[in-house]
Amino acid sequence: MAEPAPSLRIVIIAPESLTPGPDADDEDLGAAERSRSLRIGLLESGYNIVAVLPSDIFLPERLAQIQPDLIIVDAESQARDTLEHVVMATRDARRPIVLFTDDGDTTHMRDAIANGVSAYVVAGLAPARVKPVLDVAMARFQVEESMRRELADARSQLEERKVVERAKGLLMHRHALSEPEAYARLRKAAMDKGLKLADLAQRMLDAADLLA
């Protein structure tokens, strides 16, 4: 019988305290209740909350140390500023980001999603709805990452073809070879040296530039 998949390791970006101060207004009380409901929903669904972190200058270093599977931003009216910190902190190690907020101003929602936010949830959310939201966010992130990798691979292959074409042109010019002959010579040299064709072609172009 297959072992169950490990629960997601989640970091929440939010104030650590869920207890409003004596001077708390209705907005503060509502934010605290939303945060409690969110964390209850996460725990009831079997998620592993590994840390609750503030959005500060140390966030990139802390995320790099923890390596979470998913990041939840539990933000209030400062959602835009918090998201900017989180997006910058995950720029070099992308992870799915889910925003839960009571901020009714959604004018920056498009920018948030364009910058890597996988789900943007406004206003309250029952604990039972937390898991479906995160499931969709994870699925969306995985699809987008797959597309991103495919695009990067396509670009890399195009650049490699350009390098090989330039190397073939150099051989054809210097040794009066036909295109098939130049390609065959490149391919044989790459096989003899145990190199990728594009890597050998780049080395040849680099050497040619030094001798020019």
Side-chain angles (χ1 to χ4, degrees), residues 152-165:
D153 289 344
R155 287 174 175 168
S156 177
Q157 291 172 10
L158 178 60
E159 290 302 315
E160 288 180 356
R161 284 198 295 270
K162 289 180 179 179
V163 169
V164 172
E165 289 299 318

Side-chain angles (χ1 to χ4, degrees), residues 10-13 48-53 66:
I10 291 177
V11 162
I12 299 176
I13 310 299
N48 180 15
I49 302 174
V50 293
V52 179
L53 304 176
I66 297 171

Side-chain angles (χ1 to χ4, degrees), residues 13 20 23 25 37 41 46 65 69 86 95 111 118 127 130 146-147 171:
I13 310 299
D23 299 327
D25 56 19
S37 294
Q65 291 173 344
D69 299 311
V86 175
R95 289 180 175 82
D111 290 338
S118 302
V130 171
S146 177
M147 293 175 62
L171 284 176

Side-chain angles (χ1 to χ4, degrees), residues 23-103:
D23 299 327
D25 56 19
D26 290 343
E27 182 178 341
D28 294 331
L29 293 172
E33 180 58 32
R34 185 198 67 242
S35 292
R36 277 195 293 269
S37 294
L38 170 61
R39 298 183 200 191
I40 289 170
L42 291 170
L43 294 174
E44 287 181 347
S45 298
Y47 293 113
N48 180 15
I49 302 174
V50 293
V52 179
L53 304 176
S55 176
D56 58 22
I57 60 173
F58 302 107
L59 184 58
E61 179 181 346
R62 288 167 175 161
L63 290 178
Q65 291 173 344
I66 297 171
Q67 295 289 314
D69 299 311
L70 183 143
I71 297 170
I72 289 179
V73 179
D74 181 16
E76 300 173 24
S77 58
Q78 69 273 37
R80 182 194 296 268
D81 294 338
T82 302
L83 273 178
E84 287 178 355
H85 282 130
V86 175
V87 169
M88 288 296 294
T90 57
R91 182 176 50 186
D92 298 326
R94 287 174 49 81
R95 289 180 175 82
I97 301 170
V98 179
L99 170 68
F100 290 90
T101 180
D102 285 333
D103 186 358

